[in-house]
Amino acid sequence: MSQFTAPTILMCPPDFYGIEYEINPWMSRSRASDSKLAQQQWHALRDLLENVGAEIRLMPPARGLPDLVFTANAGLVWNNTVFLSKFRHEARQGETPLDEAWFQSIGFETVSMTGEWSFEGAGDALFCGQTLFAGYLIRSDAAAMQWLASQIGCRVIPLQLVDEHYYHLDTCFCPLSADEAIYYPPAFDEYAQAAISAHVENLIPVSESEAARFACNAVVIGRKVVLNTGCPELERELQDRGYEPHHTELGEFIKAGGSAKCLTLRLDGEDAAIWPGVEE
Ligand code: ARG
């Protein structure tokens, strides 16, 4: 069972955020982020999330770990357990002990993966209904996802990511409810595209230009959907389907390859998730 009664989101202030290394095609040390603007954009996102009904929990930022702001990558939350990430790139590996300590401090059980696998948390593992959709190849390994599903006792659908720009599943796939999701088809191999179509009843594909504005990297709180600016087609489509889109500019974080969803981690479980085996 979750210890939270309201939608609760983990964020980390961008005090030490910056482009200090290059581990995805969006990042270039020659395109530095403006720290004042990054602070403003992050605070505006936080305020917006609170306005649409989320409670925000903060973990302390740390010097030398500029991507710690992307809390989606801390781990995969399941009930009162968090499966901690094992980052592919050394530059981010120092985040995990801080994530572990934070989760323990609020009473979560933390699980570290054994095995030589990489796994980047809710960046690559997203529940839609009772099924865990799992992006692999670029940052997480398929074997890690299989192990995770065996621990949880759920069905896993491994999805191969084929475009380095969409290196985490949450950059190209966003569950909205148990049977509805936003996605960017060209980010997946053919088999993964077919698997998504077979397992998610209602799909909203986004255009190439809106995918590049991180349209799929949205935060869902009930029927409210928070995303970056510059995705008017998706916003219209969401409205037609009874959702309420809200946008806020996140350009300083796109420079690191992240947007709204990456900057958050839902601690009480996503709205689209039905956790298997939960005793009420
Ligand atoms: N610069 C970070 C990285 O490449 C961005 C992480 C974005 N997080 C996400 N969940 N997609 O690892």
Side-chain angles (χ1 to χ4, degrees):
M1 282 290 288
S2 170
Q3 57 176 288
F4 305 100
T5 49
T8 307
I9 286 175
L10 173 63
M11 295 181 75
C12 171
D15 300 18
F16 303 109
Y17 169 69
I19 314 298
E20 293 176 16
Y21 45 79
E22 297 168 5
I23 56 171
N24 68 53
W26 305 92
M27 300 175 90
S28 163
R29 268 167 294 185
S30 61
R31 255 173 25 101
S33 69
D34 175 329
S35 26
K36 216 173 133 198
L37 197 52
Q39 285 282 353
Q40 283 169 10
Q41 292 181 354
W42 184 89
H43 280 279
L45 173 65
R46 180 191 166 156
D47 292 347
L48 178 53
L49 291 169
E50 281 178 336
N51 288 339
V52 299
E55 266 179 36
I56 307 296
R57 300 288 179 103
L58 295 178
M59 66 177 279
R63 194 179 295 282
L65 294 173
D67 279 339
L68 194 62
V69 289
F70 297 113
T71 50
N73 299 124
L76 174 70
V77 171
W78 177 62
N79 298 302
N80 206 39
T81 297
V82 59
F83 294 92
L84 294 166
S85 287
K86 277 181 71 179
F87 285 96
R88 175 83 78 202
H89 296 285
E90 205 186 334
R92 296 197 65 185
Q93 288 167 1
E95 295 178 28
T96 303
L98 304 184
D99 293 329
E100 182 171 24
W102 187 84
F103 275 101
Q104 287 178 355
S105 78
I106 65 154
F108 266 83
E109 186 191 332
T110 57
V111 179
S112 306
M113 280 188 187
T114 50
E116 288 306 297
W117 308 312
S118 295
F119 166 64
E120 299 204 354
D124 272 330
L126 298 167
F127 281 102
C128 190
Q130 298 200 28
T131 303
L132 189 64
F133 288 79
Y136 72 93
L137 196 66
I138 303 180
R139 293 298 186 84
S140 298
D141 295 322
M145 298 301 189
Q146 300 288 3
W147 180 83
L148 202 64
S150 72
Q151 296 298 299
I152 293 174
C154 67
R155 174 168 68 178
V156 61
I157 311 265
L159 302 169
Q160 185 173 322
L161 303 177
V162 296
D163 181 337
E164 289 282 336
H165 286 91
Y166 302 99
Y167 57 94
H168 276 142
L169 182 65
D170 70 359
T171 64
C172 50
F173 181 75
C174 175
L176 289 165
S177 70
D179 62 3
E180 192 161 36
I182 306 166
Y183 79 136
Y184 178 53
F188 299 93
D189 75 353
E190 252 175 63
Y191 180 80
Q193 290 183 28
I196 292 173
S197 303
H199 290 100
V200 186
E201 212 174 299
N202 303 298
L203 285 167
I204 308 179
V206 301
S207 65
E208 185 182 354
S209 61
E210 294 200 356
R213 295 288 302 165
F214 281 67
C216 300
N217 201 245
V219 183
V220 180
I221 298 163
R223 300 299 284 182
K224 302 183 170 142
V225 181
V226 172
L227 74 170
N228 188 27
T229 57
C231 305
E233 294 162 27
L234 175 61
E235 288 198 29
R236 228 168 295 128
E237 185 64 39
L238 288 170
Q239 263 161 354
D240 288 349
R241 292 173 187 244
Y243 289 93
E244 192 183 302
H246 293 264
H247 59 243
T248 185
E249 175 59 47
L250 291 164
E252 289 311 305
F253 297 97
I254 302 244
K255 290 176 177 172
S259 185
K261 180 62 183 284
C262 308
L263 291 164
T264 65
L265 182 66
R266 193 71 185 260
L267 296 172
D268 59 310
E270 298 282 352
D271 284 285
I274 302 171
W275 281 335
V278 177
E279 287 152 35
E280 294 293 331

